[in-house]
Each structure stands twice: as structure tokens, then as C-alpha cells.
Amino acid sequence: MSHIFSCGECGRRYPIDEIRYRCDCGAPLEIVSEGPIHVSRNTFDARLGVRQLPYASGVWRFREMLPPLDDAHIVSRPEGNTNLYSVGADEAGGFRRIGEYAGLPSLHVKHEGENPTASFKDRGMTVGVSQAVALGASAVACASTGNTSASLASYAAQAGIPCFVFVPEGKIASGKLAQTLAYGAVTLQIKGDFDAAMKLVQEVCARLNIYLLNSVNPFRIEGQKTIAFELLQQMDWEPPDWIALPAGNLGNTAALGKALLEARELGLISKLPRLAPIQATGANPFYQSYATSFTERFSVQADTVATAIKIGNPVSYERARKAVRETGGVVAEVSDSAILEAKAVIDRAGIGCEPASAASIAGARLLVESGVIKPTGRVVAILTGHILKDTETTVNYHMGDGLYANHPHVVEAQFDEVSAALEKYL
Ligand code: F0G
């Protein structure tokens, strides 16, 4: 079975073993299978108990849905196998806070922060770095708001390939910078924003013959598709009505859309969930395009507390537009204060996530309030990153006067003072 690069815009096709990310027309490419794929739910369900690689990975378990790679080239931690928490308002226990907040009796969150480097990026990276190994790449690179760089640095270290990352100076959360430095990536702090770093890394990769591992690379998208396959499998292949997710560079929106369309085509599901990519108001170019029914493409000077999605000119625009259109999706925007409030609720339930991830719950709540998502709808929200990625923002929130702020008590080291502080809670 062979695969090719295909352009969703103009239909041009290219061999998959070429080093290429975009079509000659400029649009990012997609990987498609030229022959029929023979799989059933059983193919994937039968692998659930397997402890050996590659099937122990929540990415490689869905191998037939991925481009072909030899076992010898696979670089896997392994990744995936993240929890799908039932957090609807109908649940017992503290998780139900999230469903109550969103106004949804049936709600799940899929926690992609439970991946090896604590974000969803590991799913695309295992496929992208495996392809780098297959190609014999001498070095790999990416631009990043922090999670992609942490993930690439880790997988490149495992593969033994030099890694260069371009991050906007002073604008990524310290947990992510710490990971990137610690995993040994050569780290360039660019004096500019993510969009400037993204533009630069594409030029540098082309001119210095370095393999580019941003999500413009179609192999990354292929790995990220497995978020959808895994959540469908965890729901016994009964698809939810909606999947809400934070949206920045739009790779994940593109990947989930592609996955859902493929799952339906192969008969793994009979109904398509609708996608709801959620942007921050200060970084909302995709929302603005959606508001014009995609007749116009926008770019903005991005600004949001959710630094992971502080992106003004998303690379995967075309592929994400297709994902929204073909799943009957909607795009929404939420304010920074809505993101921080939703994050506090997710954290307080005992689950926790980084700020950008909370856009999914803030967005679901907004779409329920505005009547787009029916309260009877079955919704899955993707939490893309771990609570410990951005501790500054969390601590700042709890020191401030937000609705759910949990101020620490400073007391002398004496029983009486401690007792007085605890009195009102006992
Ligand atoms: N959530 C988190 C935690 C992210 O790190 C990102 C993107 C997104 C959501 C948005 O996903 O770009 O596929 O639309 N982070 C990239 C990075 C840009 O460099 O780590 P997207």
C-alpha cells in the first residue's frame, strides 16, 4: 500500500519520500493512501493489551492509519494512551464541577497533557522524528511557543539527532523552556514573536538542509490524528456530538478533521462529530475568517495569556478550514479571563491543565450558552497540555482576585495561628 503527498487546494501530488512540506501552489500538503486500507475496530481493539512496541503506543496502535514506516525507524517513548475523564454534571464526585461549569450533563475531557513530555505534541512527534530517521536527516528543527520544542527536543535526544529550536524570547512558559534546554536542544531565542520565528525556521531549514518538524510537516499531522482514533476507541466507537479544542497554529484542528473523515470512510464510525476549534480573543485570525464564512484570510498581532496559542498567522489554515467545513464545525473565540476562569475550574476538579487547554472548556460553555451546542449533546474537550507547564500563570491567578482564587495563608509556625487559620474550614 503506498502513500503520497497530495494538495487539498490544487490536487498536485508528490512522492512521499521527497523532503517537502508544501505544494508548489504554497498550501501545506496532506498524506493520503493510494490503495484501500483494510481495518476494523477489532484490528485496534485487539492491540489494547499489547505491552511491546510499537503497539503499546497510543499512536502506533493505529498503524494502518499512518504512513508506512519500518519498525527499525520508529522512535517512540511510547506516547498516547491518555485518560478520557468523564466530567459531566451527571457524574458523582468533584469532576462534575467541570460539567456544571460548561452546562453539560455529558462531558468528557481527554487529557493530552498525560503524554511523555506533557503535551499532545508527542503524538505527531513520534511519527515526524521516525520519518526524520528514515530519511537519514542530519538535524531537525522547529519554531515553537514551547510545547513543540519540548517534544521535539525529547524525541531528537532519543533518536540521537541534533535539534534546533526557535522560540520567541521571553514569551514561552518556563516549564517548556526548562524542558527544551534540559533535553539538549540548541535553543535560539528569537527577538520577535512566534510568527517571526515560524517564518525564519522555514527559511533556515530550506537553506541549511535541516528537516523541519513543525506541523506544516504532513507527518506530524498524521501522528496527531490518533487523538481522535483513541478517543473514539475509548468511547467504544460511539462518536460524541462535538469535539472542542484550543486552536493556534491549527495543526491539531487539521489533524482531528482528517482523522474523523478517515474513520467514517473506513466504517470505524457511522456519524461525524462536529469540531469546535476555540481561539483566544487576542489571537483569533481563524475565528475572524470563520466569521466571514472563510471568504477572507486574516492575520493578527497576537496577544493572550495563553502563550501556547499566541499565534497570529496560522500555518495550517487551509487544512483546518477543510476540517471545520467537512465536519459541520464552528469556530469560537473566548477572552483571557474566560480562559483563566475555566482553567481554575478544571484545576479545582483535581484534573488541571495549562491555560491554552482551558480554552476548550471555556469555548464549550460559550457554545452551550449561545445555543449552538445543545445541553443534551455529548461533548469531548481536548486538554492539550499539563498543569505544570505554566506555573507562573497559575500562581498569579491564585494570588489575585479572580472568582476562584485560592489565596495561600501566611502564618507563624505556631499551633494557635494555624488553628485560627483553619477554623472556618472545619
Ligand atoms: N494547546 C497547546 C498546549 C499548545 O501548545 C498548542 C500549540 C495548541 C493548543 C494549539 O494547537 O497549534 O495545533 O492549533 N502549540 C504549538 C507549539 C504552536 O509550538 O507548541 P495548534
Side-chain angles (χ1 to χ4, degrees):
M1 179 178 45
S2 65
H3 286 66
I4 46 147
F5 288 137
S6 160
C7 177
E9 298 300 296
C10 73
R12 281 195 191 85
R13 294 149 82 89
Y14 307 89
I16 204 175
D17 52 3
E18 234 177 72
I19 296 188
R20 149 180 294 282
Y21 318 103
R22 291 178 185 276
C23 179
D24 287 344
C25 80
L29 293 163
E30 287 186 340
I31 293 177
V32 296
S33 167
E34 287 197 287
I37 296 175
H38 299 289
V39 283
S40 68
R41 298 170 182 181
N42 283 342
T43 316
F44 305 128
D45 291 348
R47 293 174 185 159
L48 279 173
V50 176
R51 290 205 195 89
Q52 288 80 27
L53 286 175
Y55 295 141
S57 159
V59 172
W60 296 101
R61 179 160 78 244
F62 302 100
R63 192 167 191 176
E64 289 79 2
M65 310 300 284
L66 304 174
L69 274 149
D70 291 345
D71 277 7
H73 294 143
I74 290 179
V75 184
S76 172
R77 292 286 303 265
E79 46 293 307
N81 297 315
T82 59
N83 283 304
L84 181 72
Y85 297 102
S86 192
V87 300
D90 280 351
E91 287 298 314
F95 285 180
R96 107 173 149 259
R97 287 167 192 273
I98 303 175
E100 278 167 1
Y101 184 73
L104 288 165
S106 171
L107 175 65
H108 287 81
V109 291
K110 181 144 179 73
H111 208 325
E112 288 294 302
E114 295 173 351
N115 271 292
T117 78
S119 85
F120 73 102
K121 303 291 182 181
D122 294 343
R123 290 183 184 266
M125 218 46 95
T126 180
V127 177
V129 171
S130 298
Q131 177 66 3
V133 170
L135 291 167
S138 56
V140 292
C142 70
S144 182
T145 55
N147 280 326
T148 300
S149 57
S151 183
L152 179 58
S154 166
Y155 281 80
Q158 188 182 353
I161 305 176
C163 169
F164 306 114
V165 310
F166 294 52
V167 294
E169 189 198 14
K171 292 172 192 140
I172 73 170
S174 65
K176 304 174 187 182
L177 180 61
Q179 284 181 290
T180 304
L181 297 172
Y183 294 139
V186 175
T187 304
L188 303 177
Q189 293 191 294
I190 305 296
K191 296 184 184 212
D193 58 12
F194 169 82
D195 299 292
M198 186 69 232
K199 189 157 175 263
L200 196 59
V201 76
Q202 295 184 73
E203 183 190 345
V204 170
C205 283
R207 293 175 63 176
L208 302 184
N209 194 25
I210 297 168
Y211 192 55
L212 178 63
L213 276 171
N214 276 102
S215 58
V216 64
N217 184 322
F219 284 86
R220 284 273 318 278
I221 300 291
E222 291 300 295
Q224 276 174 216
K225 289 188 317 193
T226 62
I227 299 176
F229 300 142
E230 194 174 272
L231 84 80
L232 292 170
Q233 186 174 39
Q234 285 168 310
M235 301 184 94
D236 290 330
W237 306 101
E238 278 299 322
D241 299 310
W242 290 90
I243 300 176
L245 73 161
N249 216 15
L250 302 179
N252 214 20
T253 304
L256 290 186
K258 188 169 189 283
L260 295 172
L261 292 167
E262 290 174 358
R264 188 181 59 176
E265 193 181 320
L266 296 178
L268 297 172
I269 52 172
S270 47
K271 187 197 85 176
L272 269 186
R274 300 171 72 182
L275 280 183
I278 315 293
Q279 296 211 292
T281 310
N284 68 353
F286 193 52
Y287 171 74
Q288 288 194 46
S289 294
Y290 170 78
T292 68
S293 304
F294 294 119
T295 52
E296 265 184 85
R297 181 171 177 171
F298 292 86
S299 67
V300 303
Q301 189 67 46
D303 189 22
T304 166
V305 68
T307 51
I309 52 173
K310 190 172 166 184
I311 294 170
N313 189 19
V315 162
S316 289
Y317 173 81
E318 294 92 344
R319 296 182 297 197
R321 181 185 59 195
K322 178 176 169 192
V324 170
R325 277 188 176 151
E326 298 206 5
T327 65
V330 303
V331 185
E333 61 168 354
V334 290
S335 67
D336 278 6
S337 58
I339 288 174
L340 290 176
E341 196 175 286
K343 172 176 153 52
V345 172
I346 298 161
D347 293 353
R348 179 68 181 84
I351 291 178
C353 63
E354 69 162 283
S357 307
S360 60
I361 290 293
R365 174 180 156 106
L366 179 81
L367 292 171
V368 170
E369 268 170 12
S370 58
V372 177
I373 295 182
K374 292 198 195 77
T376 50
R378 293 169 72 236
V379 178
V380 177
I382 312 290
L383 302 181
T384 43
H386 196 276
I387 187 173
L388 292 177
K389 286 280 189 176
D390 183 352
T391 50
E392 303 94 317
T393 304
T394 306
V395 173
N396 284 343
Y397 177 85
H398 289 290
M399 293 296 185
D401 53 10
L403 194 54
Y404 300 103
N406 180 20
H407 295 173
H409 304 266
V410 181
V411 292
E412 295 295 338
Q414 283 172 3
F415 177 82
D416 290 349
E417 279 219 22
V418 173
S419 168
L422 296 188
E423 203 172 19
K424 68 174 173 191
Y425 304 104
L426 290 169

